[in-house]
Amino acid sequence: MVGWSRLWSPVGLAVLVGLRSQLRAYNLVDTGRPGARLPVGTPDEHRARSVDGTYNDLGEPRAGSAGSRFGRNVPLPRTAPENADDICEPNPRLVSRRLLTRREFRPATTLNLLAAAWIQFEVHDWFNHAPQAGNPWHIRLPDGDDWPHDPMTFARTAVDPTGPDDQPPVFASTVSHWWDGSQIYGETADYAESIRTHDGGRIALDDVGLPPAETEALLDPNGQAANFWVGLALLHSLFLREHNAIANRLASAYPAMTDQQLYDSARLVNAASMAKIHTVDWTPAIIAHPTTVAAMRGNWFGLLGERMSGRIARFTDNEILSGIPGSATADNGVPFALTEEFVAVYRMHPLLPDTVEFRSGLDDRVVARHAMADLLAADVRRHLTSNTAADLLYSFGRAHPGELSLHNFPRSLQNLARPDGTPIDLATVDIMRVRERGVPRYNDFRRALRMAPVTTFRELTVTTRPPPNWRRSTATSSRWI
Ligand code: HEM
């Protein structure tokens, strides 16, 4: 009734713990797993990460694996797609242009640009939808729109054909849902093998700290690889190098370990450190409320805190006291899967600026200014060759990402060329994806989370202190809240 964010932190924390219990009880929905059930595994057989994410859950080996379905955070009947007339209303291209287009860059001044690259790096670890071949979306252009083709077309999301006939459509992730570092280790056995040296558990890296360019031929050119850019490449390079550093350290401490053991152990350590960075650094930075900062540290270290967890490891099995890592597996009766609603909230494209300044780490001097379009996949290696990783990391540390708000969608992504040369308006696509995947609209979503629906656009905008004209421009109809 009051809202955890308005309460004194210890009370707010207790409310968050209660909300978490409710969400686990009412908002984890199993959509099932395609394919025959695999035999149950044992800890001795499966001590390492598998390429496809199977056997992270020994009792339910396909849970969260590549090709398995997204789960839901809302009851299945609420995920039924809207009918063909409603799904394009209001017109997503009109929303893109009228409400999302960036007029001037609104920076998120509490964050640096590494935070934007980081979350895309994580998203690529966690999930990816496949496009459907044929029968694309047709979006009629609003009057006066200068997009080169009317209607605007782009692929629908591929529906999992093995989904139950009597329920709304379900979708599958092409990559493992687990926090396993799959974005750098590879999503297919061929790629994962091709980047290994098979010596000391290491990964083959070239001069810019990325796997040799020829291994890229094994990646899907229309998949995540198409969304590579300099910010993302920096993190790939950093954590691939980190893998090798961990493998080297393990090799010197345990000379009897084989190449395979070193590779497997280094991957476990590397993936765990990514999970830790995300939990105790990234999330508290982006939701920098004292209660969420304490809550996220609590998730990792428990209420007993970092010092206690460092000194005596797990004091108790209780996740509230000693943190989630190392606590007993508890899936609350729903095998692990990331959800469509989770994907929807992570479409954080306004984080990206339209230009990035490259600076010298020595004296902070701006040495170049690049449009975003110059930093995308085709130009990554050129920039990584002509700048040091230290200067680039420094530059990203000095720049701000965009604020997650209206009127701040990067213009470069509203007209983004795909590998085959076709342009897309990613803002329009973002809106349609949420609708076609049956993520409920705002008020239905609130109801599904047991929150009171809002009744006016004023309530929607009241907490973000928007410029006054924003409310005027949104106060046209309440039908679609
Ligand atoms: C230059 C940087 C980026 C480019 C070129 C890019 C481009 C794209 C494209 C083309 C898609 C697929 C759209 C579709 O057909 O559904 C996509 C999806 C997505 N992007 Fe980005 N993106 C970038 C950065 C980011 C960032 C910083 C985030 C922040 C979290 C992000 C989060 C997502 C998410 C969650 C999806 C949905 C994936 C799915 O449906 O499985 N992206 N992006």
Side-chain angles (χ1 to χ4, degrees):
M1 280 185 298
V2 178
W4 59 265
S5 61
R6 295 196 195 91
L7 296 166
W8 178 52
S9 264
V11 181
L13 268 178
V15 172
L16 282 182
V17 170
L19 285 175
R20 186 170 69 176
S21 303
Q22 285 194 353
L23 289 166
R24 286 174 174 173
Y26 304 120
N27 294 95
L28 290 176
V29 179
D30 189 5
T31 52
R33 279 145 297 287
R37 218 188 146 102
L38 296 172
V40 166
T42 65
D44 281 342
E45 287 167 320
H46 300 284
R47 301 191 71 80
R49 299 281 183 193
S50 55
V51 174
D52 64 359
T54 48
Y55 286 101
N56 281 293
D57 180 337
L58 298 175
E60 190 66 49
R62 281 201 200 277
S65 62
S68 68
R69 294 178 196 144
F70 287 92
R72 306 295 315 208
N73 293 122
V74 300
L76 287 181
R78 293 194 191 209
T79 67
E82 295 174 42
N83 68 48
D85 289 336
D86 282 350
I87 201 162
C88 289
E89 286 296 329
N91 183 313
R93 172 68 176 170
L94 185 70
V95 177
S96 162
R97 296 207 343 147
R98 288 271 295 277
L99 295 181
L100 303 183
T101 299
R102 177 178 281 158
R103 290 169 198 153
E104 62 178 19
F105 181 58
R106 292 171 60 89
T109 52
T110 56
L111 294 170
N112 67 39
L113 191 50
L114 289 166
W118 174 267
I119 187 56
Q120 188 189 13
F121 183 60
E122 293 303 280
V123 158
H124 284 191
D125 178 350
W126 295 332
F127 52 78
N128 183 52
H129 286 79
Q132 179 187 291
N135 188 25
W137 285 112
H138 286 85
I139 311 292
R140 295 311 310 248
L141 293 190
D143 291 345
D145 195 322
D146 56 3
W147 190 258
H149 311 285
D150 189 3
M152 176 189 283
T153 57
F154 49 86
R156 290 171 193 252
T157 304
V159 171
D160 177 355
T162 67
D165 290 335
D166 55 347
Q167 277 172 15
V170 285
F171 307 89
S173 175
T174 63
V175 309
S176 100
H177 306 219
W178 294 95
W179 223 341
D180 55 6
S182 56
Q183 79 278 43
I184 58 170
Y185 291 100
E187 314 288 359
T188 60
D190 280 356
Y191 180 81
E193 274 297 300
S194 77
I195 65 169
R196 287 181 60 177
T197 61
H198 291 291
D199 173 27
R202 282 185 295 272
I203 288 178
L205 298 180
D206 65 11
D207 294 349
V208 297
L210 291 176
E214 55 273 17
T215 61
E216 287 170 16
L218 295 169
L219 297 172
D220 173 5
N222 297 307
Q224 293 175 337
N227 304 337
F228 214 48
W229 64 296
V230 171
L232 192 55
L234 278 176
L235 294 177
H236 274 250
S237 169
L238 188 62
F239 282 91
L240 285 163
R241 294 179 208 219
E242 183 67 7
H243 171 94
N244 285 352
I246 299 166
N248 289 346
R249 181 78 182 84
L250 286 171
S252 69
Y254 305 101
M257 281 175 84
T258 64
D259 166 68
Q260 188 64 39
Q261 288 170 328
L262 289 166
Y263 173 85
D264 288 340
S265 303
R267 179 170 179 174
L268 284 170
V269 175
N270 207 14
S273 66
M274 291 179 218
K276 182 178 177 193
I277 290 168
H278 190 81
T279 309
V280 302
D281 295 312
W282 186 85
T283 310
I286 202 147
I287 317 176
H289 187 288
T291 306
T292 42
V293 173
M296 292 313 290
R297 291 187 69 76
N299 268 357
W300 196 267
F301 298 114
L303 284 184
L304 295 175
E306 182 173 8
R307 208 181 282 167
M308 185 71 118
S309 99
R311 229 178 247 162
I312 53 169
R314 294 194 67 77
F315 178 71
T316 131
D317 244 6
N318 182 305
E319 66 173 296
I320 294 181
L321 292 178
S322 287
I324 294 174
S327 64
T329 302
D331 62 12
N332 301 282
V334 178
F336 174 69
L338 293 175
T339 66
E340 291 298 349
E341 290 71 27
F342 183 84
V343 176
V345 297
Y346 272 105
R347 299 190 89 106
M348 296 178 172
H349 292 121
L351 286 173
L352 294 160
D354 279 303
T355 51
V356 179
E357 288 179 340
F358 283 9
R359 290 172 184 265
S360 153
L362 284 178
D363 55 12
D364 194 47
R365 204 166 27 91
V366 175
V367 292
R369 220 170 248 116
H370 293 284
M372 197 65 198
D374 264 0
L375 301 175
L376 300 180
D379 293 300
V380 162
R381 283 181 183 274
R382 179 168 60 82
H383 289 297
L384 262 55
T385 309
S386 50
N387 298 276
T388 65
D391 278 348
L392 288 173
L393 287 166
Y394 176 78
S395 305
F396 275 67
R398 285 280 285 108
H400 292 306
E403 191 182 271
L404 293 173
S405 70
L406 294 182
H407 303 300
N408 210 18
F409 204 93
R411 283 184 175 257
S412 48
L413 299 189
Q414 272 177 313
N415 191 348
L416 174 70
R418 295 290 65 205
D420 65 359
T422 334
I424 55 164
D425 170 5
L426 191 53
T428 302
V429 174
D430 279 352
I431 294 166
M432 277 311 283
R433 292 295 179 234
V434 173
R435 293 182 189 170
E436 73 168 337
R437 295 171 190 171
V439 176
R441 300 229 183 175
Y442 187 74
N443 267 345
D444 280 343
F445 204 147
R446 290 181 68 95
R447 289 186 192 99
L449 298 179
R450 295 165 299 288
M451 296 169 79
V454 298
T455 50
T456 62
F457 279 110
R458 178 161 289 268
E459 285 172 74
L460 261 184
T461 54
V462 79
T463 51
T464 56
R465 281 183 233 95
N469 60 333
W470 287 15
R471 281 188 192 162
R472 250 201 329 273
S473 66
T474 54
T476 49
S477 156
S478 60
R479 184 168 167 224
W480 297 110
I481 300 183

